[in-house]
């Protein structure tokens, strides 16, 4: 795998140019777009990447935007592929934090949110956003993805058996490994995922999140989320175009019984209340800023543009299983028994189109490693053969 991925990096690096601004097919942008409404594109942005919430697709959007405008990205230091997760984030988890200081523009790799430390890294005018997902779907996805890692999942046969009596399998003392098994979003935002479901406590946390974040997206309405993000950041439609990344094949999805679905709401009650609260504010924000009619129209435009790019870029017009990905440099990291899908690009693309297409399909570990080598050329390259998402960050 190390050899394949290194080969892939060499292959990909031939087509990636940090200063290349001819980013989009059939379009050329030499400067930030001037939209019809008088607002300026935000270039200092922090995305809290939550787990199993379509956040890898958002990460790709952030990386492409950073490249398009030569922005600096707060990347994991040394050999690491995340920013200290599951430890609470500290500023020195960022490569060259001491040298670069607050001059980073984009921050989007996995971390456990710690606002005071993030503020040391990002400028004062940074726009903060994150994404949530219905905990019912999230827990099932987590179960399959982390089945071989989280002790609580490892010893239960399937997700329904686990949910029938979670405390039989779940030990709060295994917190670092078991965070994926209960209230994972609550944990990612920096809070105790084993805290008691206390109304006053929950209201306090929700208020704090609203103070720290300008926008919370909802993965279950991903296209609508991208339109809302586009408006909030004053970006172009093409800045939020995406191909779905890190999704898994349908045959690995486990069907939850109606009883299990109800049990998720109780077992992950902190996540459930977090989701309900921000799902409401999400739709309220859309009605207040865009309007449902305009939203529908813009979502249609996004899907048309996405279809156009898929027809231009993709051999199969869709994602394919891991065994059918021809270029192993584009193979996503595979976890447990999941079959993480990827893409095959058409072979007759001109260099400019190929660059655009590759950026849209490159898995996050490869993209992050590539950006790291461009941004920190004198540093040792990331050991791509070791993409352990949960590697503990050793303090220097």
């Amino acid at each position: 795998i190390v050899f394949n991925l290194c080969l892939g990096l060499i292959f990909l690096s031939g087509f990636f140019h940090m200063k290349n601004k001819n980013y989009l097919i059939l379009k050329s942008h030499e400067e930030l777009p001037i939209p019809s409404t008088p607002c300026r594109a935000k270039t200092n942005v922090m995305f809290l990447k939550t787990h199993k919430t379509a956040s890898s697709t958002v990460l790709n959007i952030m990386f492409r935007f950073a490249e398009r405008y030569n922005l600096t990205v707060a990347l994991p230091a040394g050999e690491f592929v995340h920013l200290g997760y599951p430890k609470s984030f500290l500023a020195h988890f960022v490569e060259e934090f001491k040298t670069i200081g607050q001059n980073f523009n984009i921050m989007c790799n996995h971390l456990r949110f710690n606002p005071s430390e993030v503020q040391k890294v990002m400028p004062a005018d940074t726009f903060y956003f994150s994404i949530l997902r219905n905990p019912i779907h999230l827990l099932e996805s987590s179960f399959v993805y982390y089945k071989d890692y989280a002790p609580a999942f490892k010893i239960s046969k399937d997700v329904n058996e686990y949910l029938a009596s979670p405390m039989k399998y779940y030990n709060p003392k295994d917190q670092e490994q078991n965070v994926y098994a209960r209230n994972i979003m609550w944990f990612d935002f920096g809070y105790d995922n084993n805290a008691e479901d206390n109304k006053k406590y929950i209201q306090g946390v929700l208020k704090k999140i609203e103070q720290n974040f300008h926008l919370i997206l909802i993965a279950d309405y991903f296209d609508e989320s991208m339109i809302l993000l586009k408006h909030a950041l004053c970006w172009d439609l093409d800045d939020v175009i995406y191909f779905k990344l890190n999704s898994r094949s349908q045959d690995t999805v486990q069907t939850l019984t109606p009883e299990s679905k109800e049990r998720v709401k109780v077992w992950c009650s902190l996540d459930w209340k977090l989701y309900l609260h921000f799902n409401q504010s999400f739709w309220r924000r859309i009605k207040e800023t865009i309007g449902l009619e305009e939203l529908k129209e813009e979502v249609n435009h996004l899907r048309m543009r996405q279809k156009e790019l898929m027809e231009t870029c993709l051999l199969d017009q869709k994602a394919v299983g891991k065994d059918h990905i021809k270029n192993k440099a584009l193979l996503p990291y595979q976890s447990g028994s999941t079959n993480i899908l990827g893409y095959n690009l058409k072979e007759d693309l001109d260099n400019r189109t190929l660059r655009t297409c590759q950026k849209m399909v490159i898995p996050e570990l490869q993209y992050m490693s590539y950006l790291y080598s461009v941004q920190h050329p004198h540093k040792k390259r990331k050991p791509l053969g070791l993409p352990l998402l949960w590697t503990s960050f050793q303090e220097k």
Side-chain angles (χ1 to χ4, degrees), residues 109-165:
N109 286 85
H110 272 309
L111 59 82
R112 188 174 183 214
F113 195 60
N114 182 1
S116 59
E117 288 291 309
V118 172
Q119 283 157 18
K120 289 179 186 176
V121 177
M122 297 301 289
D125 66 347
T126 296
F127 182 93
Y128 288 79
F129 79 101
S130 190
I131 188 164
L132 300 174
R133 183 184 182 188
N134 186 321
I136 295 169
H137 309 310
L138 189 149
L139 189 78
E140 182 278 328
S141 177
S142 239
F143 184 91
V144 178
Y145 197 84
Y146 297 109
K147 176 82 169 86
D148 297 341
Y149 178 72
F153 292 157
K154 207 182 279 188
I155 53 176
S156 47
K157 187 179 70 186
D158 59 39
V159 69
N160 291 305
E161 183 182 278
Y162 173 69
L163 286 166
S165 52

Side-chain angles (χ1 to χ4, degrees), residues 232-338:
L233 294 176
C234 198
W235 286 7
D236 243 356
L237 179 68
D238 273 321
D239 291 324
V240 297
I241 288 290
Y242 67 92
F243 294 160
K244 198 174 178 184
L245 295 180
N246 216 37
S247 60
R248 63 198 160 115
S249 63
Q250 209 51 41
D251 60 356
T252 65
V253 176
Q254 296 187 13
T255 307
L256 273 74
T257 63
E259 294 79 19
S260 289
K261 289 178 182 178
E262 291 307 309
R263 283 168 186 151
V264 173
K265 297 176 189 178
V266 178
W267 175 242
C268 296
S269 64
L270 304 176
D271 269 4
W272 181 246
K273 281 161 187 173
L274 179 71
Y275 174 76
L276 289 180
H277 179 85
F278 284 105
N279 185 42
Q280 276 192 327
S281 65
F282 173 80
W283 289 105
R284 190 164 58 243
R285 176 93 167 246
I286 280 173
K287 285 170 187 168
E288 288 168 1
T289 59
I290 306 170
L292 293 176
E293 281 306 306
E294 173 69 18
L295 175 75
K296 195 175 172 185
E297 204 173 300
E298 290 202 45
V299 164
N300 283 338
H301 284 153
L302 181 137
R303 288 173 181 165
M304 281 163 60
R305 181 70 177 128
Q306 184 186 53
K307 187 170 182 283
E308 183 189 324
L309 280 171
M310 286 185 117
E311 285 169 1
T312 302
C313 295
L314 304 180
L315 197 59
D316 313 275
Q317 306 285 297
K318 61 176 195 247
V320 297
K322 60 183 178 184
D323 298 331
H324 298 284
I325 298 167
K326 295 176 181 179
N327 178 357
K328 296 308 172 193
L330 299 178
L331 180 71
Y333 174 69
Q334 303 292 321
S335 175
S337 60
T338 52

Side-chain angles (χ1 to χ4, degrees), residues 199-214:
K199 192 176 178 183
K200 192 179 175 188
Y201 165 68
I202 287 172
Q203 290 305 320
V205 168
L206 295 177
K207 195 174 177 186
K208 200 78 189 146
I209 292 171
E210 283 179 336
Q211 286 167 358
N212 286 327
F213 289 85
H214 299 92

Side-chain angles (χ1 to χ4, degrees), residues 13-163:
S13 63
F15 296 104
F16 281 86
H17 297 288
M18 204 71 170
K19 297 195 183 297
N20 174 54
K21 290 187 182 175
N22 291 331
Y23 166 80
L24 287 151
I25 301 163
L26 311 176
K27 293 190 178 187
S28 175
H29 293 271
E30 288 304 322
E31 54 190 83
L32 287 173
I34 301 166
S36 52
T37 50
C39 69
R40 191 173 174 180
K42 291 178 171 61
T43 53
N44 294 329
V45 185
M46 191 275 169
F47 169 57
L48 175 62
K49 187 178 190 294
T50 48
H51 286 79
K52 313 314 297 166
T53 56
S55 61
S56 294
T57 303
V58 181
L59 183 92
N60 179 272
I61 286 167
M62 302 302 291
F63 279 169
R64 282 187 282 126
F65 187 83
E67 272 211 281
R68 187 176 175 188
Y69 298 114
N70 296 333
L71 304 175
T72 53
V73 185
L75 294 167
E79 297 186 344
F80 299 96
V81 296
H82 54 62
L83 294 164
Y85 195 90
K87 293 183 190 296
S88 196
F89 175 75
L90 296 173
H92 75 260
F93 292 168
V94 173
E95 187 66 75
E96 289 190 5
F97 159 67
K98 284 181 180 170
T99 316
I100 299 172
Q102 276 191 310
N103 292 323
F104 290 99
N105 305 114
I106 302 289
M107 189 178 206
C108 55
N109 286 85
H110 272 309
L111 59 82
R112 188 174 183 214
F113 195 60
N114 182 1
S116 59
E117 288 291 309
V118 172
Q119 283 157 18
K120 289 179 186 176
V121 177
M122 297 301 289
D125 66 347
T126 296
F127 182 93
Y128 288 79
F129 79 101
S130 190
I131 188 164
L132 300 174
R133 183 184 182 188
N134 186 321
I136 295 169
H137 309 310
L138 189 149
L139 189 78
E140 182 278 328
S141 177
S142 239
F143 184 91
V144 178
Y145 197 84
Y146 297 109
K147 176 82 169 86
D148 297 341
Y149 178 72
F153 292 157
K154 207 182 279 188
I155 53 176
S156 47
K157 187 179 70 186
D158 59 39
V159 69
N160 291 305
E161 183 182 278
Y162 173 69
L163 286 166

